[in-house]
Amino acid sequence: MIRYVLRRMLFLIPVLFGVTFIVFTLMYITPGDPAKLILGEQASPETIQAMREEMGLDQPYLVQYYNYVKKAILQQDIGRSYVTNRPVLQEIMGVFPATFKLATSAMLVAILIGIPIGIISAIRQYSIFDTVSMLIALLGVSMPVFWLGLLLIILFTVKLGWLPASGFSSVKHMILPALALGAMTAAIVTRMTRSSMLEVIRQDYIRTARAKGQKESVVVLKHALGNALIPIIAVIGLQFGQLLGGAVLTESIFSIPGVGRLMVDSIKMRDFPVVQGGVLFIAISFSMINLLVDLLYAYVDPRIRSQYK
């Protein structure tokens, strides 16, 4: 198990190098002069050139990339914000708790809705419940997050006045963003749970368990769901990683100060170090979540655990 974890951690190195190279290249070719942004349009060309030299922007592309990677590895320094002059890591960690809370809330909504509906739909295949739930799941997958978020604000804030439309400081503030962001994930989890359960409940050992007289709830929850969890866990893990990095629209609509909103504001202001650091942070988070999901497989499926041994 330890060797497997170490091997997966080593695989992260080329992934992170690739992410930094692509993002650094995109930021390098993006129009806009950070020195002019910091000093303002009224600054003289001499002052701007001096600032470019101080920031190392006058150096060749490969030299700039090498210096960025060297500082990131040796000093754990991924740059300073051009706008606030604060360390990028400090900027990101200041807003990451809000993004993590939003992603966790959305995933909790998706699990609580998706798994029960998927199980019932599989047990009652082709029933009215199955047809309606799959239709709603199809709508959930197809519905844009920003459109659903606006509809929720119009209904629950403007019309009914039950829930606030902005902020993220209390449970009431978390409900609408979690519903808006978790709806698509809930639809995906529902469809995957139904598909996985349909494949399992037709197996011989399920018929044997029923023939032995075990309760239907035990057959479904213990024997069927336990063996259907692998693809469900895979989907939940991937979706949670995407929620961490893809909550940009939700954070913007509901005015949540998270990583996504920070990166959008940084792109608008040409704050390249924050954009690069944000993408790198999300890539690391996504990779670590995938590693945790792979390890969770071993506790769910004894066959995978035997491979680790």
Side-chain angles (χ1 to χ4, degrees):
M1 178 72 75
I2 296 178
R3 283 199 300 176
Y4 173 78
V5 174
L6 293 177
R7 187 166 63 249
R8 286 297 304 270
M9 296 293 289
L10 290 176
F11 288 160
L12 290 180
I13 296 176
V15 172
L16 297 180
F17 269 108
V19 170
T20 56
F21 181 79
I22 293 174
V23 176
F24 190 90
T25 303
L26 291 176
M27 293 297 100
Y28 182 82
I29 65 178
T30 300
D33 190 346
K36 186 179 294 185
L37 173 69
I38 296 174
L39 297 175
E41 296 292 337
Q42 305 302 322
S44 64
E46 294 78 10
T47 307
I48 293 176
Q49 182 60 30
M51 175 62 73
R52 287 179 55 83
E53 294 177 359
E54 180 182 347
M55 298 170 64
L57 299 177
D58 61 324
Q59 297 176 344
Y61 160 74
L62 291 178
V63 175
Q64 293 186 40
Y65 178 69
Y66 171 76
N67 292 332
Y68 176 79
V69 173
K70 183 176 69 173
K71 291 181 65 177
I73 295 176
L74 299 181
Q75 304 175 18
Q76 291 77 50
D77 182 7
I78 54 178
R80 302 183 75 89
S81 170
Y82 292 158
V83 178
T84 64
N85 199 35
R86 297 175 60 195
V88 171
L89 190 58
Q90 186 176 343
E91 291 274 352
I92 295 174
M93 295 308 298
V95 297
F96 178 70
T99 297
F100 184 79
K101 188 192 299 183
L102 174 61
T104 304
S105 303
M107 183 53 66
L108 183 62
V109 169
I111 292 174
L112 293 178
I113 295 176
I115 291 182
I117 293 179
I119 293 174
I120 298 174
S121 296
I123 296 173
R124 302 179 180 178
Q125 188 181 14
Y126 303 132
S127 65
I128 296 178
F129 181 90
D130 181 32
T131 304
V132 173
S133 61
M134 288 303 101
L135 177 61
I136 296 176
L138 179 61
L139 292 176
V141 172
S142 308
M143 190 179 302
V145 174
F146 68 90
W147 186 69
L148 177 59
L150 293 176
L151 289 181
L152 292 175
I153 291 175
I154 292 174
L155 176 61
F156 292 102
T157 303
V158 179
K159 297 294 185 181
L160 300 177
W162 290 353
L163 299 170
S166 61
F168 210 59
S169 57
S170 66
V171 176
K172 291 184 64 176
H173 290 87
M174 294 168 57
I175 294 176
L176 291 185
L179 288 175
L181 188 60
M184 179 181 294
T185 304
I188 295 173
V189 172
T190 298
R191 293 165 65 90
M192 177 54 68
T193 303
R194 178 183 182 272
S195 176
S196 184
M197 286 291 293
L198 284 175
E199 183 177 350
V200 169
I201 60 178
R202 295 189 177 100
Q203 300 296 323
D204 292 338
Y205 61 85
I206 298 296
R207 286 192 289 268
T208 302
R210 285 177 173 147
K212 289 181 176 180
Q214 293 191 354
K215 295 181 179 179
E216 186 65 18
S217 59
V218 175
V219 173
V220 171
L221 297 179
K222 182 179 179 180
H223 299 286
L225 182 60
N227 289 279
L229 275 179
I230 293 297
I232 299 173
I233 292 174
V235 168
I236 290 175
L238 292 175
Q239 289 299 312
F240 186 69
Q242 292 180 4
L243 291 178
L244 286 177
V248 177
L249 294 176
T250 306
E251 292 177 357
S252 300
I253 292 172
F254 293 97
S255 300
I256 299 173
V259 175
R261 188 178 176 188
L262 173 67
M263 293 180 62
V264 170
D265 294 340
S266 300
I267 292 173
K268 292 178 181 178
M269 295 183 292
R270 300 292 192 274
D271 197 352
F272 299 149
V274 176
V275 178
Q276 293 169 182
V279 174
L280 181 61
F281 185 82
I282 291 172
I284 294 174
S285 301
F286 195 90
S287 300
M288 295 306 298
I289 289 172
N290 285 337
L291 175 60
L292 292 176
V293 169
D294 288 346
L295 295 178
L296 188 59
Y297 290 163
Y299 293 97
V300 174
D301 194 333
R303 294 170 298 181
I304 299 177
R305 186 164 59 247
S306 64
Q307 294 178 5
Y308 290 148
K309 294 179 180 179

